């Protein structure tokens, strides 16, 4: 084979570009490595973060039950055959099969592809409420979960030095906005964390801590039955929770959360979990079809397009996509944005993509909900599968068992299980590392600075002629110019 023929053969290898390294993106790449034959395709995954975050564990990270690094999966460590690019995809021109890759450092470039898989996920959906953008924090990333944990621990340290009053109450008040699974779990877990801290702070009492959950609907956790959600409300009330149903946040300026009921709650921590939306950077920067809610229009076989028309070479899955729910139970006819769907869609997408490369037909995605499970603090949880509902300790075991098994790779499973095992015997590691967000503060405080420049020297005095001085002393000094002129006249 000649050199030209070899180059042509190399170029003929299909290029697969995966946009996003979250649930759907990671699992798609992971399974493609398993299903593709050697040399059958080149796979590239692009994400601004070099890891996938297992989001169901974020509430436990916020409560100090799991080490933060143990709930993320390093892309480079676990994707051995995939090219990993740490950057953003800021544009997709599918008409020319090119994507714009923008790194944090360096110039952007155009990446060509034959097949594109859009799995850019979702971001927190907020509303133009005064103060929310400036004061609230979401719960979509590991960094946010760590920040929530450290804020609570730091606020306990500060509050312990203050007398009872408004400022101490503000430091010990947490407001969670959103009563879905994410909101309820982080609310219950942080409430349990605060209760466990009291034994180490004799200056503070349980009554000094205030936890508020704000939900715009008339109920919480729409994923479970009404009876189960009511049990969760009663259980939270026993632990000192304040739940505001049929209530909206109208303002959060300077940490004063204003409710539609007229109540104002001063707080130092606002956690926003009131919904998500498809990643706008990727969706708006592409020429792929988008439905009315801002998600990429996707067929049941996970190819981009409609039931009547296919966009060849384009695929989508996870929260960024609008995949029809063939079970008939999805909201608006589409699969709801959750991890259960994202993982299963990704696994099928990898198989379907390989099938298309081999001129085979892809299969349609259909998944019946296995149920919903949530942790409500140590040794407490809730589980719902159709008409079966479990509560308390057995549901908590189901929660940890399910997510422990669902965590990708045995290496990650053992790290998480190890955290649970150590905490069972040793308790939570309740040390705030909030200053890691400003790690140079000590160095900057004591670092030597260059001495200020010395002030400029004063101009030198004019030199004095010794003869002139002698003449002045004897009175024989020459007459002034004016005197000479007068004499001459």
């Amino acid at each position: 084979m000649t050199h030209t023929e070899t180059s042509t053969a190399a170029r003929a290898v299909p290029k697969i570009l995966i946009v996003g390294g979250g649930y759907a993106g990671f699992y798609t790449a992971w399974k493609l490595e398993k299903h593709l034959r050697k040399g059958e395709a080149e796979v590239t995954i692009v994400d601004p973060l070099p890891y996938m975050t297992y989001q169901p564990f974020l509430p436990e990270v916020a409560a100090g039950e799991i080490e933060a690094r143990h709930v993320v999966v390093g892309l480079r460590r676990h994707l051995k055959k995939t090219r990993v690019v740490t950057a953003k995809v800021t544009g997709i021109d599918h008409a020319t099969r090119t994507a714009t890759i923008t790194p944090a450092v360096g110039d952007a470039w155009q990446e060509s592809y034959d097949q594109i898989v859009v799995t850019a996920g979702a971001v927190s959906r907020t509303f133009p409420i005064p103060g929310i953008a400036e004061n609230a924090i979401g719960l979509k990333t590991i960094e946010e979960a760590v920040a929530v944990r450290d804020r609570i621990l730091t606020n306990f340290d500060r509050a312990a030095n203050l007398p009872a009053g408004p400022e101490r109450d503000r430091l010990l008040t947490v407001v969670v906005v959103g009563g879905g699974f994410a909101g309820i779990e982080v609310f219950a877990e942080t409430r349990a964390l605060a209760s466990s801290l009291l034994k180490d702070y004799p200056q503070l009492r349980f009554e000094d801590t205030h936890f508020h959950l704000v939900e715009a609907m008339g109920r919480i956790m729409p994923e479970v039955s009404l009876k189960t959600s009511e049990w969760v409300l009663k259980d939270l009330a026993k632990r000192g929770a304040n739940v505001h149903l049929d209530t909206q946040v109208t303002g959060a300026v300077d940490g004063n959360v204003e409710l539609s009921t007229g109540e104002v709650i001063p707080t130092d921590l606002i956690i926003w979990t009131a919904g998500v939306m498809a990643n706008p950077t990727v969706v708006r920067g592409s020429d792929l079809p988008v439905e009315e809610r801002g998600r990429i229009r996707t067929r049941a076989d996970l190819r981009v397009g409609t039931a009547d028309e296919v966009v060849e070479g384009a695929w989508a899955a996870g929260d960024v996509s609008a995949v029809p729910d063939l079970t008939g139970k999805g909201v608006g006819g589409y699969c709801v944005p959750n991890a259960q769907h994202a993982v299963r869609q990704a696994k099928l997408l990898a198989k379907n993509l390989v099938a298309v490369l081999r001129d085979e037909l892809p299969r349609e995605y259909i998944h019946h909900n296995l149920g919903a499970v949530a942790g409500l603090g140590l040794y407490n949880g809730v589980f719902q599968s159709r008409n079966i509902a479990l509560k308390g300790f057995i549901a908590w075991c189901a929660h940890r068992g399910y997510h422990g098994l669902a965590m990708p790779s045995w290496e990650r499973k053992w790290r998480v299980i190890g955290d649970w095992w150590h905490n069972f015997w040793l308790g939570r590691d309740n040390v705030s590392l909030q200053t890691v967000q400003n790690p140079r503060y000590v160095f900057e405080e004591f670092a030597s600075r260059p001495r200020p420049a010395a002030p400029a020297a004063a101009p030198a005095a004019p030199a004095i002629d010794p003869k002139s001085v002698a003449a002045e002393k004897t009175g024989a000094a020459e007459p002034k110019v004016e005197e000479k002129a007068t004499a001459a006249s």
Side-chain angles (χ1 to χ4, degrees), residues 300 323-330 335-336 338-345 348 364-371 386 402:
V323 179
D325 190 339
L326 300 184
T327 67
K329 299 177 181 178
C335 296
V336 297
N338 62 24
Q340 194 174 133
H341 281 303
V343 171
R344 285 165 175 79
Q345 287 171 6
L348 178 62
E364 292 186 331
Y365 175 77
I366 181 168
H367 171 66
H368 293 275
N369 193 350
L370 298 176
R386 298 182 182 177
Y402 172 78

Side-chain angles (χ1 to χ4, degrees), residues 396-457:
W396 177 80
C397 292
H399 162 74
R400 286 206 162 177
Y402 172 78
H403 287 298
L405 291 174
M407 187 72 181
S409 85
W410 279 104
E411 180 258 340
R412 292 286 101 180
K413 293 184 202 298
W414 282 120
R415 291 184 187 274
V416 171
I417 294 171
D419 288 340
W420 289 338
W421 176 253
H422 292 148
N423 286 352
F424 176 78
W425 296 103
L426 305 175
R428 305 173 200 252
D429 190 357
N430 293 328
V431 176
S432 171
L433 296 179
Q434 188 175 41
T435 51
V436 76
Q437 298 168 36
N438 180 25
R440 297 182 66 248
Y441 79 102
V442 173
F443 182 83
E444 289 177 338
E445 182 178 355
F446 297 103
S448 298
R449 301 286 193 270
R451 292 183 178 181

Side-chain angles (χ1 to χ4, degrees), residues 197-386:
L197 290 174
L198 292 172
K199 66 181 184 301
D200 299 323
Y201 295 87
Q203 309 93 325
L204 305 176
R205 300 174 303 160
F206 180 85
E207 293 76 16
D208 295 328
T209 59
H210 313 283
F211 279 70
H212 296 264
L213 176 75
V214 183
E215 169 54 47
M217 295 175 58
R219 59 164 295 182
I220 61 171
M221 303 175 76
E223 300 90 343
V224 302
S225 67
L226 179 60
K227 183 178 180 181
T228 301
S229 70
E230 289 175 344
W231 177 87
V232 174
L233 283 175
K234 292 177 182 178
D235 182 73
L236 293 175
K238 293 177 183 177
R239 293 187 276 164
N242 300 284
V243 180
H244 308 261
L245 299 178
D246 293 314
T247 306
Q248 297 177 337
V249 174
T250 58
V253 178
D254 296 329
N256 293 310
V257 177
E258 302 173 13
L259 305 182
S260 56
T261 58
E263 184 178 357
V264 177
I265 307 172
T267 179
D268 192 57
L269 179 56
I270 305 169
I271 305 173
W272 184 272
T273 65
V276 297
M277 64 178 181
N279 189 319
T281 302
V282 173
V283 173
R284 295 171 187 170
S286 80
D287 57 355
L288 298 174
V290 178
E291 49 92 61
E292 56 274 7
R293 293 189 60 185
R295 297 174 296 181
I296 294 176
R297 195 176 294 279
T298 310
R299 294 160 45 93
D301 60 10
L302 304 175
R303 289 183 289 182
V304 173
T306 64
D308 302 321
E309 185 178 358
V310 178
V311 178
E312 295 293 342
W315 306 75
D319 295 357
V320 78
S321 64
V323 179
D325 190 339
L326 300 184
T327 67
K329 299 177 181 178
V331 178
Y334 296 102
C335 296
V336 297
N338 62 24
Q340 194 174 133
H341 281 303
V343 171
R344 285 165 175 79
Q345 287 171 6
K347 292 178 179 179
L348 178 62
L349 192 157
K351 292 180 179 179
N352 282 353
L353 203 162
V354 172
V356 168
L357 291 178
R358 298 172 183 171
D359 295 323
E360 301 172 2
L361 292 177
R363 294 189 294 112
E364 292 186 331
Y365 175 77
I366 181 168
H367 171 66
H368 293 275
N369 193 350
L370 298 176
V373 61
L376 303 176
L378 280 176
Y379 313 124
N380 194 22
V382 62
F383 169 81
Q384 177 92 47
S385 179
R386 298 182 182 177

Side-chain angles (χ1 to χ4, degrees), residues 466-477:
K467 294 182 179 180
S468 299
V469 174
E472 288 181 359
K473 289 183 178 179
T474 59

